[in-house]
Amino acid sequence: MIPAEAKAAMQGAIPSILATCSPDGIPNVTHISQVWYVDETHVAASYQFFNKTKRNIAANPKAQMRLFDPKDSGRWVVEVRYIRTETSGRTFDDMESQLEAIASMTGMEDVFHLQGADIYEVISIRRTTFIPE
Amino acid sequence: MLSENVIDFLQSMGGSMLCTRSADNQPAACEMLWAEVAPHHVIGMVPAHLGAHLPVHFADNTDVSVVTSQTYGDHRSVQVKGTIADLEGPRVFDRSDVGEWFLNTVKFFPQFPPEDVARVLIDIVGCPVFRITIEVSDVFDQTPGPKAGASIGAST
């Protein structure tokens, strides 16, 4: 389901957006350092310290991601459902390595630490642009 | 309410991400450009093709959240929560409608060449946009780190 051309937006070059909503209907939106390609129907988001987001997805798994293509103004709108959080294993280890690189490049070594890889099922994904094409 | 310091920060960034939700609590985010930032309300412009979901959400509820971040630099991030007071459009605003917004927005992007900013903004002005007015209820520091999530302002 995830098109190959969307993978460029999952390499950590540009922070992504994660939108969630509490059970009582209060939206929350935050930047996240990483969205990681897991397989053709799943992605993982870096869990670092966004506690409101964690509380929201635990109670309401519906979320939306916005991923930015580093080579143009394209962006991917990804509707997802939270499934689980992994704190070990290949996905976690790969994301931890990439996050260390991102932290080093952005001067955030003392702040960015991966606590978990939040696994999401991709419900839909579509590409759009900031200016209409 | 928004402090003077937060207002200066939001205006210096120009762009933001707007988040609303459907009747069944499905959130949706879209890009928004600040048109006006005041202590108790903010106004933004959303290109129609990015905010197509807004009328449906606004018909059901007025809950809204907006985040503005300095993603390159010090990572400062501020989240504004509130309610949608008005959603106008989408329509192509003519220059007399958007003149002040246009001029204000150009100054929000000092890090880019003015001619590049102007070209992008002209493209946006030339396409239908929503004009959304938000009454501010809460403000949070969302800068990565131990203080993330701290309240830095509430409605009074």
Side-chain angles (χ1 to χ4, degrees):
Chain A
M1 172 185 282
I2 300 173
E5 57 267 35
K7 292 183 181 178
M10 302 181 195
Q11 295 173 347
I14 302 174
S16 301
I17 292 292
L18 179 58
T20 62
C21 184
S22 67
D24 57 348
I26 305 301
N28 193 76
V29 58
T30 186
H31 284 85
I32 52 175
S33 301
Q34 280 180 301
V35 172
W36 185 265
Y37 177 87
V38 177
D39 60 37
E40 62 181 13
T41 55
H42 295 85
V43 295
S46 56
Y47 159 40
Q48 296 168 238
F49 25 57
F50 40 101
N51 294 329
K52 182 60 179 174
T53 296
K54 289 295 286 184
R55 288 196 297 273
N56 282 354
I57 59 173
N60 170 22
K62 298 173 183 176
Q64 190 195 72
M65 296 174 175
R66 225 167 171 82
L67 318 179
F68 300 94
D69 197 317
K71 66 180 185 304
D72 59 26
S73 69
R75 57 235 25 229
W76 296 87
V77 181
V78 192
E79 190 173 318
V80 294
R81 294 289 182 275
Y82 170 70
I83 298 175
R84 66 181 181 276
T85 297
E86 296 180 356
T87 56
S88 63
R90 180 175 177 180
T91 297
F92 179 87
D93 292 343
D94 289 345
M95 290 182 71
E96 189 173 43
S97 296
Q98 190 195 54
L99 186 61
E100 288 175 1
I102 293 171
S104 177
M105 288 187 292
T106 56
M108 299 293 280
E109 298 95 327
D110 296 333
V111 179
F112 286 179
H113 296 291
L114 190 67
Q115 297 189 45
D118 289 342
I119 309 295
Y120 292 84
E121 178 187 9
V122 174
I123 305 300
S124 67
I125 180 169
R126 62 181 172 85
R127 189 180 190 276
T128 186
T129 55
F130 187 66
I131 303 297
E133 288 182 318
Chain B
M1 65 179 289
L2 302 177
S3 68
E4 196 171 314
N5 179 271
V6 169
I7 290 173
D8 288 345
F9 171 67
L10 298 181
Q11 290 184 333
S12 72
M13 296 304 298
S16 61
M17 293 300 298
L18 172 76
C19 183
T20 57
R21 55 110 179 156
S22 66
D24 62 350
N25 285 347
Q26 170 67 53
C30 60
E31 293 79 353
M32 183 178 82
L33 293 174
W34 294 118
E36 184 176 321
V37 182
H40 296 285
H41 76 274
V42 294
I43 300 174
M45 301 294 232
V46 178
H49 70 292
L50 298 177
H53 55 282
L54 291 176
V56 175
H57 287 191
F58 184 51
D60 178 78
N61 67 86
T62 61
D63 299 315
V64 67
S65 174
V66 184
V67 68
T68 297
S69 301
Q70 173 78 4
T71 52
Y72 299 100
D74 64 5
H75 295 263
R76 183 180 181 187
S77 185
V78 170
Q79 179 151 186
V80 174
K81 297 206 176 195
T83 55
I84 302 172
D86 187 43
L87 179 68
E88 184 183 356
R91 65 183 175 89
V92 176
F93 289 80
D94 65 34
R95 290 298 295 267
S96 62
D97 287 329
V98 302
E100 187 174 351
W101 164 70
F102 184 85
L103 293 174
N104 281 337
T105 305
V106 169
K107 78 179 182 186
F108 292 162
F109 297 93
Q111 67 271 44
F112 299 115
E115 59 272 23
D116 290 350
V117 177
R119 180 171 48 77
V120 170
L121 293 175
I122 287 168
D123 286 344
I124 295 171
V125 171
C127 74
V129 298
F130 290 102
R131 184 177 189 271
I132 184 168
T133 302
I134 299 167
E135 291 185 0
V136 176
S137 59
D138 295 291
V139 192
F140 299 93
D141 182 356
Q142 215 171 328
T143 308
K147 293 182 180 177
S151 175
I152 53 174
S155 55
T156 55

